[in-house]
């Protein structure tokens, strides 16, 4: 039997987008930037930067979609967007959102 929708407050699309955005940002900051500036190996940032940009746009679209379709509070959406600028912020925010039911 599947869990009721009230116990899973965020959609699969938003969950996937948050994981993709958070992972690509961490890779970009913790792997790509040190390789580029420390070792002169800019190839990683050339493909990881656009990949993260696409993941970020999909994440923002998913947050707006969640706001419109699931009636999430505006404050929740603003926090979701702000935490996306911190490395690991999307993981922390959505873990907390699922636990608190919001």
């Amino acid at each position: 039997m599947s869990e009721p929708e009230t116990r899973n407050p965020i959609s699969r699309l938003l969950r996937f987008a948050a994981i993709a955005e958070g992972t690509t940002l961490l890779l970009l900051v913790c792997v790509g930037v040190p390789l580029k500036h420390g070792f002169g190996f800019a190839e990683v940032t050339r493909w990881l930067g656009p990949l993260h940009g696409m993941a970020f746009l999909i994440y923002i679209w998913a947050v707006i979609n969640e706001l419109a379709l699931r009636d999430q509070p505006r404050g929740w959406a603003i926090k979701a967007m702000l935490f996306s600028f911190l490395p690991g912020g999307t993981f922390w925010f959505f873990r907390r959102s699922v636990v608190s039911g919001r």
Side-chain angles (χ1 to χ4, degrees), residues 66-85:
E66 192 83 7
L67 179 65
L69 298 179
R70 292 200 178 215
D71 235 8
Q72 294 282 6
R74 285 188 181 145
W76 175 89
I78 291 169
K79 287 178 190 175
M81 290 181 192
L82 288 175
F83 275 97
S84 70
F85 291 102

Side-chain angles (χ1 to χ4, degrees), residues 72-100:
Q72 294 282 6
R74 285 188 181 145
W76 175 89
I78 291 169
K79 287 178 190 175
M81 290 181 192
L82 288 175
F83 275 97
S84 70
F85 291 102
L86 301 173
T90 55
F91 301 124
W92 183 85
F93 178 74
F94 280 103
R95 177 71 178 154
R96 228 177 125 125
S97 291
V98 169
V99 168
S100 70

Side-chain angles (χ1 to χ4, degrees), residues 6-58:
T6 56
R7 297 200 63 191
N8 188 8
I10 61 173
S11 67
R12 286 185 185 185
L13 171 66
L14 184 57
R15 186 180 310 264
F16 173 77
I19 291 169
E21 195 279 332
T23 302
T24 57
L25 180 59
L26 283 173
L27 285 172
L28 190 61
V29 170
C30 297
V31 176
V33 172
L35 283 175
K36 179 179 181 179
H37 294 290
F39 300 103
F41 188 66
E43 301 303 318
V44 175
T45 56
R46 284 193 188 133
W47 59 268
L48 197 54
L51 182 65
H52 170 67
M54 182 61 74
F56 178 75
L57 291 176
I58 292 170

